[in-house]
Amino acid sequence: MSVVVKRSKMAKIICTHSGSFHADESLAVYMLRLLPEYKDSSLVRSRSPEDWERADIVVDVSGKYDGKKYFDHHQREFDTTFSPDHKTKLSSAGLVYKHFGKDIITQIVGPQDEGNLEILYQKVYKEFVEALDANDNGINNYPKDTPAKFSEKNITLPSMVSKLNPRWNLEPTDADFDRQFEKASELMGLAFHQLVEGYGLGWLPARTIVEQSFVQRFEIDPSGEIMILDQFCPWKEHLYSIEKDNNAEGQIKFVLFADSSGKWRVSTVSVTSTSFEFRLGLPQAWRGLRDEALSDAAGIKDGIFVHAAGFIGGAQSRESVLVMAQKALEFRK
């Protein structure tokens, strides 16, 4: 039996399967509805070939994938991944994102130049969609014999979607499943929308600032090992990526920036994004010093502090933290 949800005259028709639903098709339908072509679409949840045939696009059902109308991944021979560099087989969410992802991103954060759009396209897949693909295809993130330290089955998005399915002992009807599917699609969509906005309107502008500062590093110091951010932003993840793209991995030793109060900071750079070990620390002789004692030791007028571990320090002015960074490079020699 086919069930039609939100039918309207002249609307495009999206079709997915009826009955129990999962996170992947919940997101797939949400993403399609972001596209102008499917903005006012009707949704048909059906396992009937006749309904697939009359639909404009079919996701997570039909046993077909052609990249145009049919976007199912359940057929035995299916082995499509996001790109040759990826090993995770796609779910219906991954298939829709693979083909329409750039247009979907544009609908959320607005037009981007080709380079930035590609960066966002790759980032959103890596940080969100791939995990859904893996979950739906039964791919574990860790070896199966690794014991879990705690249960997280009730706090992941796929589990939350699963629990939106009507309870088995309520004798649910098709209408019950369809109503709950809309809630699942809204839940997945909210999480996806917020993530894309965060990357497109926060993460990506930060990359632009870091990239510009990286390009200008030799104007700051001939060594090219000191970078000054014209505006504070989350910089660490971007710095590692930008260094790698420019064959300059490990080059930057200190990053200078103004904090929210207008005072300046000199920060070391960790060896890796998850490491507490830094590439080059502030001098041992300065560590733990504050105010006048630090100013005297570092030869500046307005020192504030250097952390006892040597990974960060501060002064009132840009000029002083630059002197601190330059002298720290000299101490290394």
Side-chain angles (χ1 to χ4, degrees):
M1 175 181 176
S2 65
V3 179
V4 178
V5 182
K6 291 189 175 180
R7 288 298 305 271
S8 61
K9 283 188 176 182
M10 306 302 293
K12 294 276 188 178
I13 299 174
I14 301 171
C15 185
T16 189
H17 61 79
S18 56
S20 297
F21 47 81
H22 306 94
D24 69 314
E25 76 266 22
S26 300
L27 178 60
V29 169
Y30 177 87
M31 290 191 293
L32 287 172
R33 285 168 163 171
L34 289 175
L35 300 171
E37 183 178 3
Y38 292 101
K39 181 180 178 182
D40 299 315
S41 62
S42 303
L43 176 63
V44 176
R45 301 189 68 244
S46 172
R47 297 182 185 273
S48 168
E50 290 79 10
D51 288 319
W52 307 340
E53 179 65 29
R54 67 189 182 88
D56 295 282
I57 193 165
V58 182
V59 297
D60 210 42
V61 72
S62 78
K64 301 177 186 178
Y65 165 56
D66 61 10
K68 297 177 182 178
K69 175 176 178 177
Y70 294 100
F71 294 83
D72 193 16
H73 66 108
H74 292 101
Q75 49 273 37
R76 182 186 295 272
E77 70 278 8
F78 183 88
D79 61 359
T80 302
T81 62
F82 186 62
S83 77
D85 296 330
H86 292 81
K87 304 301 181 185
T88 305
K89 286 201 302 183
L90 300 179
S91 67
S92 64
L95 285 172
V96 168
Y97 186 80
K98 179 182 175 75
H99 289 273
F100 303 104
K102 291 183 179 180
D103 291 333
I104 289 165
I105 290 170
T106 300
Q107 292 302 313
I108 294 175
V109 300
Q112 305 287 321
D113 65 50
E114 186 176 344
N116 282 344
L117 186 57
E118 180 66 26
I119 289 171
L120 285 175
Y121 179 60
Q122 297 289 337
K123 183 70 172 175
V124 171
Y125 182 76
K126 177 184 177 182
E127 301 294 344
F128 192 87
V129 181
E130 185 173 17
L132 289 176
D133 289 339
N135 176 271
D136 199 72
N137 283 298
I139 301 171
N140 289 309
N141 203 12
Y142 302 100
K144 291 182 179 179
D145 58 356
T146 302
K149 293 183 178 179
F150 55 86
S151 174
E152 60 179 11
K153 65 180 181 180
N154 290 315
I155 64 170
T156 66
L157 280 171
S159 67
M160 291 178 186
V161 167
S162 178
K163 284 178 169 45
L164 284 172
N165 279 281
R167 293 198 308 274
W168 66 272
N169 53 359
L170 292 180
E171 300 183 359
T173 65
D174 285 336
D176 294 327
F177 278 104
D178 295 335
R179 182 180 61 254
Q180 292 300 104
F181 177 84
E182 293 292 343
K183 294 179 182 179
S185 187
E186 183 179 355
L187 172 65
M188 292 302 303
L190 176 62
F192 177 79
H193 201 285
Q194 289 294 109
L195 179 116
V196 175
E197 273 195 344
Y199 284 134
L201 303 180
W203 180 85
L204 191 60
R207 180 184 173 90
T208 300
I209 293 170
V210 177
E211 195 162 32
Q212 182 178 6
S213 299
F214 181 82
V215 169
Q216 296 171 341
R217 66 195 186 282
F218 289 104
E219 300 173 20
I220 303 304
D221 186 84
S223 69
E225 296 179 287
I226 301 171
M227 194 172 80
I228 299 182
L229 300 177
D230 291 331
Q231 178 183 352
F232 175 76
C233 63
W235 56 268
K236 293 183 180 180
E237 178 187 357
H238 294 304
L239 177 59
Y240 298 118
S241 173
I242 291 166
E243 284 184 327
K244 184 176 181 180
D245 291 345
N246 288 273
N247 295 315
E249 291 173 277
Q251 185 175 102
I252 299 298
K253 304 302 187 297
F254 296 104
V255 176
L256 317 182
F257 53 87
D259 64 19
S260 59
S261 68
K263 297 179 176 62
W264 280 80
R265 298 287 182 259
V266 49
S267 174
T268 61
V269 180
S270 300
V271 173
T272 67
S273 60
T274 58
S275 173
F276 290 109
E277 180 185 358
F278 35 75
R279 295 172 178 176
L280 179 64
L282 293 168
Q284 288 282 354
W286 301 352
R287 297 183 186 186
L289 298 183
R290 301 190 64 87
D291 304 324
E292 186 176 349
L294 173 61
S295 298
D296 291 343
I300 57 178
K301 296 180 179 180
D302 53 5
I304 298 176
F305 79 103
V306 168
H307 194 280
F311 69 91
I312 194 166
Q316 296 286 350
S317 64
R318 178 183 188 272
E319 293 73 20
S320 290
V321 291
L322 178 56
V323 169
M324 291 171 71
Q326 290 170 329
K327 287 190 174 181
L329 294 179
E330 293 174 6
F331 270 89
R332 172 190 57 185
K333 301 171 184 177

